[in-house]
Amino acid sequence: MTSTSRIAPTVSAPKGKPATAAQEAARHIRNLIFEGQLRPGQAVPPAKVAADLGISRIPVREAIVALEQQGLLTIIPHRGAFVTAMDGRSVLDHFELFGVVYGLAAQRTAERATPEEVARLRVAQTELAAAEDPTEVRQRTLAFNEIILDVGGSPRTRAIARMMHGLLPGNMFELIPQTIAGQKRGAAAVVRAVRQRDGDKAFSACREMMRGHGEQARAWLLAQGVIEP
């Protein structure tokens, strides 16, 4: 691994709400991993993380569980949490699974959305298409995805989607600007499919979009020296 100044902090707090202590701890541990300060196979020191952030160990433990669910850490009972070795295939699989989860929600959206919900999704996609700044692109993408999950998701789908956020250590659209064009194309394809009431096309559009993001993320992480081929 090599350290890089391009890595920006990320917090997965809900829009408009401050990050919790557990989310801050997860951000801190994730950055330590991607900056090369915690390497594959190395143990995460909960006491040091808690001291560095000025918090108790309880939110640190919550962060460790969340990062294990994301595949960044491996918890070994009675021994602790260790950084999981990642390779290019793992990154591609992460985005493939992400595409399947959102694709299922998009498929259900195409099948059950009311005209008013379709119009709301179209507005969100238009706002995303007009966004240029990476921060705004991210905000518009989250708003678009929320509509997909609200309309076509289930409690289980939403829970899995939340769990899968956060593989990269910052705003993907800032770290990898070329993903912006792919996100806009993908969202437009999803809306076309939803308006046509074609669930299969909506599913495929999400999956192809996330596959493209996965390829670009893998290339970026390889360039940073974070993962093996």
Side-chain angles (χ1 to χ4, degrees), residues 92-221:
L92 294 178
D93 285 351
H94 175 90
F95 281 90
E96 178 79 14
L97 290 169
F98 205 90
V100 169
V101 171
Y102 270 98
L104 179 61
Q107 183 178 48
R108 299 288 185 264
T109 298
E111 295 167 351
R112 67 176 66 146
T114 66
E116 292 77 16
E117 289 168 336
V118 173
R120 188 156 57 97
L121 188 66
R122 178 73 177 98
V123 169
Q125 182 266 319
T126 301
E127 292 174 343
L128 170 59
E132 298 294 339
D133 178 75
T135 299
E136 184 180 2
V137 171
R138 181 177 184 273
Q139 292 171 343
R140 298 302 184 187
T141 295
L142 290 174
F144 181 86
N145 290 347
E146 276 301 309
I147 296 173
I148 294 290
L149 288 175
D150 284 347
V151 177
S154 65
R156 184 61 177 163
T157 306
R158 296 185 193 100
I160 294 173
R162 285 195 301 270
M163 182 181 70
M164 296 191 69
H165 277 288
L167 177 66
L168 296 179
N171 179 357
M172 179 179 70
F173 303 115
E174 181 178 1
L175 296 172
I176 315 171
Q178 57 267 38
T179 57
I180 292 176
Q183 184 67 36
K184 291 181 178 182
R185 286 194 303 269
V190 169
V191 169
R192 284 195 299 271
V194 169
R195 295 176 73 181
Q196 294 167 4
R197 301 296 182 179
D198 192 325
D200 290 340
K201 280 188 179 179
F203 181 91
S204 296
C206 276
R207 196 171 184 183
E208 288 303 312
M209 175 175 62
M210 296 312 298
R211 280 177 174 170
H213 289 345
E215 291 285 358
Q216 291 168 328
R218 181 174 71 96
W220 183 83
L221 290 168

Side-chain angles (χ1 to χ4, degrees), residues 10 14 23 42 50 187:
T10 181
Q23 289 164 345
Q42 188 173 346

Side-chain angles (χ1 to χ4, degrees), residues 5-19:
S5 60
R6 293 183 63 197
I7 292 177
T10 181
V11 173
S12 56
K15 188 175 180 181
K17 296 182 180 180

